[in-house]
Amino acid sequence: MLVVGELINASRKAIREAIEKQDAEAIQAIAMQEHEAGAHFLDMNAGIFVEKEAEYLMWLVQVVQAVVDGPCSIDSPNPKAIEAALAIHRGTPMINSISLETKRYEKMIPLIAGTDYKVVALCMGDRGMPETAEDRLNIADRLINKLVNRNVPMGNIYVDPLVQPISVNQTFGTAFLKAIELVRDAFPGVNVLCGLSNISYGLPGRQFVNQIFMAMAISRGLNGAIINPLDRRMMANIIVAEAMAGRDSYCMNYLRAFRAKKLEL
Amino acid sequence: MLVVGELINASRKAIREAIEKQDAEAIQAIAMQEHEAGAHFLDMNAGIFVEKEAEYLMWLVQVVQAVVDGPCSIDSPNPKAIEAALAIHRGTPMINSISLETKRYEKMIPLIAGTDYKVVALCMGDRGMPETAEDRLNIADRLINKLVNRNVPMGNIYVDPLVQPISVNQTFGTAFLKAIELVRDAFPGVNVLCGLSNISYGLPGRQFVNQIFMAMAISRGLNGAIINPLDRRMMANIIVAEAMAGRDSYCMNYLRAFRAKKLEL
């Protein structure tokens, strides 16, 4: 399971303020916590600063990588901002994200083609959000083919089937889960990742809903997630769910986590 | 989701002792707790008392139904014990269980044929425990057909695909989950129920494992479970998982549970 830490996102008030004050220590403290909690990549998003996004994204990457020995997920729809961040990023980043939307695809593909970056591939086309599992597979199919043709290896592609709120339509959960299965069955070499907190939008008790939905998604083949790695129960659920999904030989990882008291909540 | 409370089982020390002392109040206290926690049926098992099973099973049903206005699940492989309990049971019971094992089937079917009882149908044949999902479907298929031919309505059949410990083989979780889907797809009118605690046999932290596996099983179509209804997190996980699985219109049940603080753990 690839865990991307989601906390360094300027849409969160504390992060926005830290960026505005150029408070490196505040950012670094969160980055270190996410890293220690087990995040493999740290997502960096400065999207709310339209004019200064490139400058701030660079600053975030620099500040974080000064204290964390790990790669970032560069999170922006803006190729100039991504380019700026890539110029100073150490190691192999994740690009979050490309989609099948014509404009976004055309802007982003030159940054990704032929690299060894990991790439989040959103199941979004020019006709907006897909509703059914089959719509998602259809978009994923075309997007994966385009990426592979531009020399992005299958194993670096992280399809995000885009979860929608269950409070809006009670089929949105099952459609998303089915989409994970369809994509994994059709493209065994591809990864499926998501930021699943959208499932609980509009409901109270969101954290609990997200934790349970994670277990269901892992059982369908999800193998990456953009989450808050400081949510101990979420991280524990992932460990248990992976064992139940047959991805943990002899439950070794589960047993190790149990002994390390990571499952005591 | 049909919840069967599992606590009144003589293999548990406290229950065995209460039965031996004929301590009706001890049994009744547990029965009332299970009922109030939301169990729809209360399982009654006196199997360890080989000679006195029939007598004790009758006593349990009588004692429990003196204080709980709800049906029992009569849990025994012994048709004489079941018959004795049925003679004094009020309402429509569940029979736990029949299987495709020739001897067991032949002994149990006369008690069930043509009744409106709910019936647990174990995916077990003369060749022992099934291993793959397809083996389970095969047994379920034959057993369902036999039951329907003996006038047991589809809707009263609760197939138990029999979960086996993940600590023994890492594919046992996925095989079980797949079996739920196969049975539900092949027989949309049939229910699938299980006592899922076997999944965590041999592991530490069993309760947590069971809670997570429940969410996965519900997402595949499980709609009945033999569990400890006093496990508040298990009951909460069921409520969340049912909403995520698209079985809770407008999340009404979830929202009601949230307001009633049933999701505060």
Side-chain angles (χ1 to χ4, degrees):
Chain A
M1 188 79 176
L2 187 102
V3 173
V4 181
E6 72 182 4
L7 293 179
I8 303 182
N9 189 315
S11 67
R12 298 176 65 232
K13 186 159 171 278
I15 301 297
R16 189 184 71 229
E17 290 174 359
I19 294 173
E20 283 169 339
K21 287 187 226 158
Q22 297 282 287
D23 181 351
E25 279 178 25
I27 299 293
Q28 288 170 333
I30 295 168
M32 284 187 287
Q33 283 170 28
E34 290 195 283
H35 186 65
E36 275 158 31
H40 304 105
F41 283 77
L42 300 188
D43 198 67
M44 300 291 135
N45 183 315
I48 61 153
F49 298 107
V50 184
E51 294 299 317
K52 293 186 151 186
E53 187 187 1
E55 177 192 332
Y56 284 161
L57 207 51
M58 272 183 78
W59 180 77
L60 283 174
V61 169
Q62 213 154 18
V63 155
V64 164
Q65 289 201 320
V67 295
V68 167
D69 186 20
C72 297
S73 156
I74 317 286
D75 184 357
S76 172
N78 173 356
K80 295 224 181 311
I82 293 185
E83 235 177 330
L86 285 174
I88 48 98
H89 183 273
R90 283 184 289 107
T92 308
M94 171 176 267
I95 304 296
N96 183 7
S97 56
I98 196 165
S99 76
L100 199 65
E101 296 156 289
T102 309
K103 275 190 189 163
R104 186 165 190 161
Y105 180 84
E106 297 301 341
K107 284 194 304 183
M108 300 298 294
I109 192 66
L111 293 175
I112 295 164
T115 70
D116 59 352
Y117 304 161
K118 294 188 191 296
V119 182
V120 177
L122 301 182
C123 287
M124 174 86 92
D126 287 324
R127 276 174 293 178
M129 284 287 272
E131 291 225 340
T132 68
E134 290 71 20
D135 287 345
R136 288 173 165 90
L137 175 62
N138 186 274
I139 294 173
D141 187 348
R142 287 187 287 156
L143 186 50
I144 290 166
N145 275 297
K146 276 166 159 299
L147 290 170
V148 169
N149 282 335
R150 296 298 299 269
N151 298 314
V152 177
M154 280 275 201
N156 285 349
I157 301 173
Y158 286 76
V159 172
D160 182 343
L162 289 178
V163 66
Q164 292 178 268
I166 196 89
S167 60
V168 171
N169 184 323
Q170 78 187 69
T171 68
F172 281 170
T174 50
F176 177 82
L177 294 170
K178 184 78 189 161
I180 298 173
E181 273 185 342
L182 292 180
V183 171
R184 295 280 275 181
D185 285 352
F187 300 97
V190 146
N191 308 283
V192 179
L193 159 152
C194 70
L196 54 63
S197 63
N198 216 24
I199 189 70
S200 60
Y201 180 83
L203 292 179
R206 293 187 63 177
Q207 200 177 13
F208 187 22
V209 171
N210 299 345
Q211 288 159 352
I212 294 296
F213 196 62
M214 175 64 88
M216 292 174 160
I218 287 173
S219 120
R220 305 304 178 105
L222 189 84
N223 69 336
I226 304 178
I227 54 171
N228 173 6
L230 307 186
D231 177 344
R232 278 176 60 89
R233 184 167 289 276
M234 178 64 92
M235 296 299 276
N237 281 13
I238 289 173
I239 290 165
V240 175
E242 289 216 275
M244 298 303 106
R247 299 193 213 155
D248 181 6
S249 305
Y250 303 104
C251 300
M252 291 297 279
N253 192 43
Y254 173 82
L255 293 169
R256 203 159 35 227
F258 185 86
R259 282 192 297 266
K261 302 191 189 302
K262 286 186 186 173
L263 309 180
E264 284 176 20
L265 302 163
Chain B
M1 188 78 177
L2 187 103
V3 173
V4 182
E6 71 182 5
L7 294 179
I8 302 181
N9 189 314
S11 66
R12 299 176 65 231
K13 184 160 174 277
I15 301 296
R16 189 185 71 228
E17 290 174 359
I19 294 173
E20 282 169 340
K21 287 186 227 158
Q22 298 281 286
D23 180 353
E25 279 178 27
I27 299 292
Q28 287 171 333
I30 294 167
M32 284 188 287
Q33 283 170 30
E34 289 195 282
H35 186 67
E36 275 158 32
H40 305 105
F41 284 77
L42 300 189
D43 197 68
M44 301 289 137
N45 183 315
I48 61 154
F49 299 107
V50 184
E51 294 300 317
K52 292 186 150 186
E53 186 186 1
E55 177 192 332
Y56 284 161
L57 206 52
M58 272 183 78
W59 179 77
L60 283 175
V61 168
Q62 213 154 16
V63 156
V64 164
Q65 288 201 321
V67 294
V68 167
D69 185 21
C72 296
S73 156
I74 318 287
D75 183 357
S76 173
N78 173 356
K80 295 225 180 311
I82 292 185
E83 234 176 332
L86 285 174
I88 49 97
H89 183 274
R90 284 183 289 106
T92 307
M94 171 176 268
I95 304 296
N96 182 8
S97 56
I98 196 165
S99 76
L100 199 66
E101 296 156 289
T102 308
K103 275 190 189 163
R104 187 166 190 161
Y105 180 85
E106 296 301 341
K107 284 194 306 184
M108 299 299 292
I109 192 65
L111 294 175
I112 295 164
T115 70
D116 59 351
Y117 304 161
K118 293 188 192 296
V119 182
V120 177
L122 299 183
C123 287
M124 175 87 92
D126 287 323
R127 276 175 291 178
M129 284 287 271
E131 291 225 340
T132 68
E134 290 70 22
D135 287 345
R136 289 172 164 90
L137 176 63
N138 186 274
I139 295 173
D141 187 349
R142 287 186 288 156
L143 186 49
I144 291 166
N145 275 297
K146 276 166 159 300
L147 290 169
V148 169
N149 283 336
R150 297 299 298 268
N151 296 315
V152 177
M154 280 273 202
N156 285 349
I157 300 173
Y158 286 75
V159 173
D160 182 344
L162 288 178
V163 67
Q164 291 178 270
I166 196 88
S167 59
V168 172
N169 184 322
Q170 78 188 69
T171 68
F172 281 172
T174 50
F176 177 82
L177 295 170
K178 184 76 188 164
I180 299 174
E181 273 185 342
L182 291 179
V183 171
R184 294 282 275 181
D185 284 353
F187 301 97
V190 147
N191 308 283
V192 179
L193 159 151
C194 70
L196 53 64
S197 63
N198 217 22
I199 189 69
S200 60
Y201 180 83
L203 291 180
R206 294 187 63 176
Q207 201 176 12
F208 187 23
V209 171
N210 299 345
Q211 289 159 352
I212 293 296
F213 196 62
M214 175 64 89
M216 291 175 160
I218 287 174
S219 120
R220 304 305 178 105
L222 189 86
N223 68 337
I226 304 179
I227 53 171
N228 173 5
L230 306 186
D231 177 344
R232 279 175 59 87
R233 184 168 288 276
M234 178 64 93
M235 296 298 275
N237 280 13
I238 289 172
I239 291 165
V240 175
E242 289 215 276
M244 297 304 105
R247 301 194 212 154
D248 181 8
S249 304
Y250 303 104
C251 301
M252 291 297 279
N253 192 43
Y254 173 82
L255 292 169
R256 204 160 34 232
F258 185 86
R259 281 192 298 263
K261 302 190 190 303
K262 286 186 186 172
L263 309 180
E264 283 175 21
L265 303 162

